[in-house]
């Protein structure tokens, strides 16, 4: 019995000897990572975008699976106005087999915002469709879809997006409805449908009776 206990103790001691260097290495990595993120936080406070970006790139070089570092880098590039590179970073993440739903929502949302700012509306429409499967009741998404539909001159899609916005955020709907319905009225006039244009303009004025663009079109 005593020999069995001794063998168990020797095995545990051997395991501890093997594990100790690994634990120390992991601890050093964790401390180093924390130091880098503290440096990044300080750089962001100082608006030193280059230093923050350089630190994030070093984190990614050390661990190419660090999803959080990629997301922070994309946000930083977006803040700098480098939307093309932010799009590349986010698209590289979408090529992975991501399981984190919240991360996927953030990636799609940031990508959608960048594409809209760059006026790449057809690409934005595809990203919006993907995002809708992840985040159905979203005022942010409804506003984006409304903008895309108006730019691409898709009145039925724009009307559906406006309806979704009304269901998700009444205040946002009241802000967007006059402009959207006036734009839809302009499209109706372009098609030669004066009755539809007049109906849309009256609906716009029901929400905001002083909306100048609608009054001028009437």
């Amino acid at each position: 019995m005593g020999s069995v206990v001794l063998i168990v103790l020797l095995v545990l001691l051997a395991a501890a000897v093997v594990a100790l260097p690994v634990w120390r290495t992991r601890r050093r990595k964790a401390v180093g990572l924390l130091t880098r993120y503290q440096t990044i936080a300080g750089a962001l406070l100082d608006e030193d975008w280059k230093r923050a970006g350089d630190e994030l790139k070093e984190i990614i070089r050390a661990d190419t699976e660090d999803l959080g570092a990629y997301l922070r880098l994309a946000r930083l590039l977006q803040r700098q106005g480098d939307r093309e590179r932010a799009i590349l970073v986010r698209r590289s993440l979408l090529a992975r087999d991501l399981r984190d739903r919240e991360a996927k929502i953030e990636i799609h949302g940031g990508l959608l915002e960048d594409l809209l700012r760059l006026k790449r509306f057809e690409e934005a429409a595809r990203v919006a469709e993907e995002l809708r499967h992840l985040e159905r009741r979203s005022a942010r998404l409804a506003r984006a879809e409304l903008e895309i539909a108006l730019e691409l001159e898709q009145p039925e899609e724009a009307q559906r997006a406006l309806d979704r916005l009304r269901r998700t955020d009444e205040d946002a709907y009241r802000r967007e409805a006059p402009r959207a319905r006036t734009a839809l009225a302009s499209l109706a006039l372009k098609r030669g449908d004066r009755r539809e244009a007049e109906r849309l303009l009256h609906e716009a004025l029901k929400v905001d009776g002083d909306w100048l663009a609608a009054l001028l079109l009437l």
Side-chain angles (χ1 to χ4, degrees), residues 136-151:
R136 288 185 178 276
R137 293 186 61 80
S138 166
R140 174 186 66 167
L141 176 58
R143 285 196 300 272
E145 289 177 319
L146 178 60
E147 182 179 348
I148 292 166
L150 290 174
E151 289 291 339

Side-chain angles (χ1 to χ4, degrees), residues 112-170:
L112 181 58
E113 181 182 339
D114 286 332
L115 290 170
L116 288 175
R117 289 294 184 90
L118 293 173
K119 300 188 182 303
R120 289 159 59 174
F121 296 107
E122 290 184 358
E123 288 179 72
R126 290 193 289 272
V127 173
E129 179 67 26
E130 292 168 7
L131 183 55
R132 197 186 306 148
H133 293 297
L134 297 166
E135 192 181 31
R136 288 185 178 276
R137 293 186 61 80
S138 166
R140 174 186 66 167
L141 176 58
R143 285 196 300 272
E145 289 177 319
L146 178 60
E147 182 179 348
I148 292 166
L150 290 174
E151 289 291 339
L152 296 180
E153 298 190 358
Q154 298 171 333
E156 291 180 3
E157 288 295 328
Q159 184 59 61
R160 282 194 285 270
L162 198 56
D163 290 340
R164 283 194 291 272
L165 184 59
R166 187 174 198 168
R167 291 194 299 270
T168 53
D169 189 334
E170 185 68 28

